[in-house]
Amino acid sequence: MVKLHSIARGPEDGVRAQVRFCPRTGQIWLHEHRMLLVHAEAQGLLRKELIDSLGMDRARGLLTRMGYASGLRDAELARTRSQECDDAVAFMVGPQLHTLEGIVQVTPVQLQLDRVTGRFFGEFLWENSWEAQWHRHHYGQHNEPVCWTQIGYACGYASAFMGRAILFKEVECAGMGHASCRIIGRPAEEWPDAAEQLRYFTPESIADQLIELQTQVVQLRSTIGEKETLPADMIGVSPGFLRAFELLRQGSRSQITVLLLGETGVGKELFARALHAMGPRRDKPFVAVNCAAIPADLVEAELFGVERGAYTGAQCARPGRFERADGGTLFLDEMADLPLPAQSKLLRVLQDREIERLGDHRARPVDVRVIVASNIDLQRLVKEGRFRSDLYYRLNAFQVEIPPLRERKEDVSFLAKRFLEKYSAVHGKKLRGFTDKAKRALLTYAWPGNVRELQNMVERGVILAPSGSRIEVDHLFSCQSAQSQPRELRLGIDGNLDSATWETGKDLCEAVFNGVRTLDEVEAMLIETAVDKAHGNLSAASRMLGLTRPQLAYRLKRLNEATGRQPDEGAPEKPKDLQWR
Ligand SMILES: [Zn+2]
């Protein structure tokens, strides 16, 4: 045990004498080691940059190891002194050098050590900590000790001096708001949390880690790249959706013409965009054409372009949608509405990969992937002679059937949530979601208008619901009673309509608007009721309906086909045979 007052006077003359300045050569020496006189502020900025670019933890590791290296070197000097004096006195060379180097003023509080047995306990007071000062300057008061370089120094010095791992910890730190810093050192194994502290002494190759992380990023990008470019509304977990999506993904890899089938509003254009986004043409144009929206006599000019003077009014040459989609994807929606002559031209383009503008006989090569969509059974149109069979077979090579929303109920809440986020942003509203009743209504509704209807309905809800509230059933559906209590439609258990409802027709209309009934079902109700009233006399029934007898017979035949009845069964006796749902 050493009398502390005798070693607490600051750097001894012997230690001071080890520091030599050589102004001529510009070198500063501490014993055998070259030292530097650097600007504390510059050092502080370096420390800050390390923290800002690598994070506290990594910067702490680097700085701790830098301090450790200094401590190791200073311990060499102390060991040369230990031959002349007591171990504890020799040990104090380190704290004295630490002070002399301008890092921190060290005052010993307790020091017990024995180099033979390896026993070590040290407690020191640190004042004017350089590191705490700059840490507080740049980051304010911290919740943990911040004198990392200095702790590294103490550990490196004591470990080298003792010949075993000595771990110092700051129990108080000026960086945490204490008046000064206080450190305690013991052999590493005496600290229960030694492993936690020692990890700062293990060098880590940040470059290796950066390269490793970079590789990971590249790999992740390549796997999620497809998802990133997908339309945001392309979401679903239902088996039907996933099946269609998987098929779409497979189709995206080739250039095959894809036929998308599905009811109105299922999101055929969304699927087409997803197909485009997943394929190699994703950076090229995606051009969508709704064949039903273009007058029949203009559709060819629109698709294939026109040369000047091709027809009256063609003042200048104009490229068609095919040319505008060159290199990319052309999406032809409502394919069933494409007139027959345009169908022939389309078939030629698909076969020859070149187009001819109207009024021009020059073939222009086009590199366009074609996606077509229809909500009408094209095969039926082929049978009716309204659609070219050769074109149909060409398009039919790869078809993807998109299920109606009523068959993917699992997706309704996901989609509703997505649309809620979307339209809340569009209309600048903060809403807390849907009420339970509204959620139930969304889940039980039949969605005749499919995803598009859900989207429109949620937008309506976002507009109508007061900011900060939840969307209620009323905000979604225009007629709450018809939706929330669909059984109030007063259908008899045999499927007959209640006469009161029949007379007003109001609930029936609401039922159609809300998707509880389809227009086809209402037509079936009318026909069957008329046939029933006429006791099976089709001529009488057709008069009631304002139809000719062949017109009624045609509708009945279609009805029978739709309900799976054999046509030869004749007119149904009772409407209950229909599946009212
Ligand atoms: Zn401190």
Side-chain angles (χ1 to χ4, degrees), residues 216-236:
Q216 279 180 26
V217 167
V218 170
Q219 282 171 348
L220 285 173
R221 265 203 200 125
S222 67
T223 54
I224 62 171
E226 293 175 355
K227 283 178 192 156
E228 267 177 5
T229 49
L230 281 184
D233 296 344
M234 195 78 190
I235 40 176

Side-chain angles (χ1 to χ4, degrees), residues 1 4 108-112 121-124:
M1 187 76 189
L4 286 175
V109 180
Q110 284 190 65
L111 180 63
Q112 296 158 22
F121 180 84
E123 181 182 349
F124 299 84

Side-chain angles (χ1 to χ4, degrees), residues 126 129 131-132 145-148 150 170 172-176 180-183:
W126 275 351
S129 160
E131 217 168 356
V146 299
C147 304
W148 305 323
Q150 297 169 199
E170 275 191 289
E172 287 173 15
C173 179
M176 296 169 73
S180 51
C181 309
R182 183 182 297 275
I183 62 168

